[in-house]
Amino acid sequence: MSSCEAADCQLHIFLFPFTAYGHMIPIIDMAKLFAARGVKTTLLLTPHNATMFSKSVERERSLFGLDIHIQILGLPFKEAGLPEGIENIDDIRSPDMLPSHFLAIQSLQEPLEQLLEKHRPDFIVADMFLTFATEAAAKYGIPRFVFHGTGFFPQCIEETLVSRKTHELGITSDREIFVVPDLPDNIEMTRLQLSDHLRGSDAFMTEAWEHIRDSEKKSYGILVNSFYELEPAYAMHYKNVLGKRAWSIGPVSLRNRNNIDKAERAAKKTSTDEHILVNWLDSKDPRSVLYICFGSMYSRLSKAQWHEIALGLEDSGTSFIWVLRNIKQEEEESPLPEGFEDRMAAGKRGLIIKEWAPQVLILDHPAVGGFMTHCGWNSRLEGVSAGVPMVTWPMSAEQFYNENLITKVLKIGIQVGVEKWNPWTRDLEDVSVEKEKVSKAVSRLMGDGEEAKNMRTRVKELSDMAKEAVEEGGSSYENLTALIQEFKMLKQKPSNVVGN
């Protein structure tokens, strides 16, 4: 690291996200957060992904005077066997392309090292999948932080299952319930809810996770998009029992304070005019609208399943906003029942958004009283920050862990009844949840029963805690302050300290 004589000299940080919107968006928010605290911030993005976020970054620089920049790293498409322009996991349509994409990403080590040698940042935050960043940073004595994109709770479960292998010992059926041991709460799961790499059926991802864990052990520490008050027992377990060196600095989405920030935070432009969207919400009663979105990568359920969701929503009588991504071509057959969109539009019951939606803007609106979610960590945290209870529909990744946190630990959500983990690349032809279960879960969440009232009370308390955490004196604010101060001290006394 470079040295400086003044105690208040400026730090410089590199932030390097993985090429998936669910990983990039929180790191973009994190970059704004560091820049707002006086740290020179450089985002490392591939060309197409850079265009997705350049407007938001430029706004922070021009309007607020933040020292935030983008450096572009090109991907070798042809060499990796990728179609030109496929820079994002969200754009991949075949599981066969996944290894090629990871191969292309790994080739970024050399250009990363060139940037590190030229700019000599004081530290780098790199996504967990960018395992080469630890080795690259070590060459220049630059500490590397890992960003997993999830909170303490799911990481505690994953680490425990990997080390204890409870799901492999004495379990005779994929549907048999077992307890994840040694955790602060009684967390029950089945093998059906676990990822393919934990069940030993995905050699590629099993090897990838081995590299991730090895890289993490050699890194300086972990930055977590969470706040202590959300999962205090697991924050302590993560540090004291699992021995992880971590700083929680979230929810980073709360960096976006006005409607423009919230709307431009999305990587793509929404297909529905934001003014029309806000006006539609303004016409609804408080807490009367259900927001439905299954994330940036989870839009390819079977047509039969989309039908069941639509009919369940219609039966519930609840007003809704439903985000249907990848359903944008007029010539494509609609996945919805015939006449459904017209009926919902005629009665002003439902608003369907094709492609992207300004999720934080929608969740923060007073008319929104519930969120049907795939339980991705970003969505879950944004729902909590907005004070909105949830219907949980986990699909893949760590989402079944997060469902447990929402419904069993925090008690701010209702399970719709999904039982099986499914990779995002698999098109499902069956129906996992029928319309009756959809309607029942929505009615329970959006109703005036004691259960719904209690959930709303609890999530409102958590929302208040989230907002307090990121303000001066709050837990996340102080964690970020301590981290910045630690690196200012290291900058004054340069060393090659890279690991713990």
Side-chain angles (χ1 to χ4, degrees):
M1 286 186 292
S2 60
S3 62
C4 69
E5 296 180 0
D8 60 347
C9 63
Q10 187 181 36
L11 295 174
H12 185 194
I13 177 177
F14 273 12
L15 294 109
F16 195 1
F18 183 60
T19 51
Y21 293 124
H23 291 242
M24 286 190 288
I25 290 173
I27 280 196
I28 301 297
D29 284 339
M30 191 182 297
K32 298 174 185 177
L33 195 62
F34 273 103
R37 302 290 292 275
V39 178
K40 181 180 179 180
T41 305
T42 300
L43 284 155
L44 308 182
L45 301 172
T46 57
H48 178 69
N49 291 321
T51 64
M52 296 292 100
F53 297 99
S54 59
K55 183 178 179 181
S56 176
V57 169
E58 175 57 33
R59 183 171 182 272
E60 293 286 327
R61 191 165 53 241
S62 60
L63 193 60
F64 303 110
L66 300 188
D67 198 354
I68 182 170
H69 311 273
I70 292 176
Q71 284 279 349
I72 294 177
L73 299 174
L75 275 179
F77 295 101
K78 185 176 181 181
E79 295 85 340
L82 285 171
E84 190 73 25
I86 301 297
E87 293 185 19
N88 200 293
I89 289 291
D90 303 60
D91 299 326
I92 289 178
R93 294 292 175 261
S94 166
D96 298 333
M97 294 171 64
L98 192 59
S100 295
H101 189 88
F102 271 85
L103 178 63
I105 293 296
Q106 295 300 315
S107 71
L108 295 178
Q109 179 169 349
E110 184 176 345
L112 171 62
E113 291 181 3
Q114 292 171 356
L115 287 175
L116 290 171
E117 184 174 22
K118 178 180 179 180
H119 296 280
R120 296 298 175 114
D122 297 289
F123 56 107
I124 177 173
V125 177
D127 191 278
M128 63 178 184
F129 286 118
L130 309 178
T131 55
F132 59 84
T134 299
E135 178 184 348
K139 290 184 178 180
Y140 303 98
I142 298 171
R144 181 255 171 133
F145 285 85
V146 178
F147 178 68
H148 284 279
T150 64
F152 295 110
F153 180 87
Q155 291 188 63
C156 285
I157 293 181
E158 178 80 10
E159 289 291 329
T160 300
L161 290 176
V162 168
S163 62
R164 296 293 299 275
K165 302 190 183 302
T166 311
H167 57 292
E168 298 178 3
L169 304 175
I171 305 298
T172 59
S173 166
D174 282 348
R175 295 184 180 275
E176 182 179 344
I177 295 173
F178 64 88
V179 175
V180 183
D182 305 329
L183 295 179
D185 293 288
N186 188 63
I187 305 300
E188 296 181 339
M189 301 200 70
T190 69
R191 279 205 304 233
L192 278 179
Q193 298 172 330
L194 302 182
S195 61
D196 285 344
H197 76 267
L198 279 175
R199 299 207 306 266
S201 57
D202 188 337
F204 174 74
M205 287 308 298
T206 298
E207 182 179 358
W209 273 101
E210 289 174 356
H211 288 303
I212 289 168
R213 292 189 182 91
D214 181 62
S215 174
E216 183 188 286
K217 290 176 184 177
K218 298 173 183 176
S219 297
Y220 190 90
I222 302 161
L223 290 190
V224 183
N225 182 21
S226 185
F227 59 103
Y228 177 81
E229 293 79 4
L230 178 69
E231 40 181 351
Y234 294 90
M236 298 302 293
H237 185 89
Y238 193 68
K239 296 177 183 180
N240 298 335
V241 177
L242 300 181
K244 308 282 188 177
R245 194 173 188 212
W247 289 258
S248 54
I249 61 172
V252 296
S253 62
L254 291 177
R255 163 67 193 165
N256 304 282
R257 297 179 182 271
N258 59 50
N259 284 357
I260 296 177
D261 291 335
K262 294 170 186 177
E264 292 187 354
R265 177 175 181 260
K268 296 181 180 179
K269 182 71 174 175
T270 178
S271 60
T272 301
D273 185 271
E274 288 143 21
H275 296 293
I276 294 174
L277 176 61
V278 172
N279 288 339
W280 188 90
L281 285 167
D282 286 343
S283 72
K284 299 299 180 181
D285 293 334
R287 301 195 308 272
S288 66
V289 176
L290 176 73
Y291 173 63
I292 307 148
C293 182
F294 296 140
S296 59
M297 294 168 59
Y298 300 94
S299 300
R300 294 185 295 277
L301 295 175
S302 68
K303 182 178 179 180
Q305 184 63 80
W306 289 126
H307 274 231
E308 293 295 309
I309 295 172
L311 294 175
L313 289 171
E314 191 166 12
D315 288 348
S316 74
T318 299
S319 296
F320 62 86
I321 293 177
W322 189 359
V323 182
L324 282 173
R325 292 188 179 132
N326 303 318
I327 316 294
K328 60 181 182 297
Q329 300 297 328
E330 292 182 2
E331 64 270 19
E332 288 182 3
E333 183 181 1
S334 172
L336 303 176
E338 185 175 354
F340 175 78
E341 291 188 63
D342 292 336
R343 291 194 301 276
M344 295 302 100
K348 297 184 178 180
R349 271 274 317 282
L351 185 63
I352 294 172
I353 299 177
K354 297 176 181 178
E355 277 298 310
W356 285 81
Q359 180 160 293
V360 171
L361 177 66
I362 294 170
L363 287 171
D364 281 343
H365 195 283
V368 176
F371 182 12
M372 184 180 289
T373 172
H374 67 306
C375 303
W377 185 260
N378 293 328
S379 291
R380 191 211 58 77
L381 198 59
E382 289 159 14
V384 166
S385 298
V388 177
M390 298 167 228
V391 171
T392 59
W393 194 306
M395 298 183 186
S396 185
E398 85 292 352
Q399 293 156 20
F400 277 95
Y401 304 157
N402 296 338
E403 179 182 58
N404 270 287
L405 178 63
I406 294 166
T407 62
K408 301 296 177 60
V409 178
L410 300 176
K411 296 182 173 60
I412 57 171
I414 295 170
Q415 296 180 1
V416 78
V418 181
E419 296 180 343
K420 185 178 180 181
W421 191 95
N422 287 289
W424 66 270
T425 49
R426 184 180 300 159
D427 289 331
L428 306 179
E429 299 301 327
D430 60 341
V431 171
S432 59
V433 181
E434 296 178 343
K435 65 179 181 179
E436 291 81 8
K437 288 187 176 180
V438 174
S439 179
K440 183 179 179 180
V442 170
S443 297
R444 284 172 60 194
L445 188 83
M446 302 297 290
D448 292 324
E450 201 65 27
E451 178 187 37
K453 289 179 181 178
N454 289 338
M455 284 190 292
R456 287 195 287 267
T457 298
R458 283 190 289 267
V459 76
K460 177 61 167 61
E461 292 171 350
L462 289 170
S463 173
D464 292 341
M465 292 178 189
K467 292 164 184 171
E468 290 173 3
V470 299
E471 295 297 336
E472 188 170 357
S475 59
S476 294
Y477 186 97
E478 293 306 315
N479 283 341
L480 185 58
T481 298
L483 181 64
I484 291 171
Q485 290 302 319
E486 181 172 328
F487 273 87
K488 282 188 175 181
M489 292 178 66
L490 287 173
K491 190 177 180 74
Q492 293 173 64
K493 299 178 180 179
S495 68
N496 290 321
V497 178
V498 175
N500 291 342

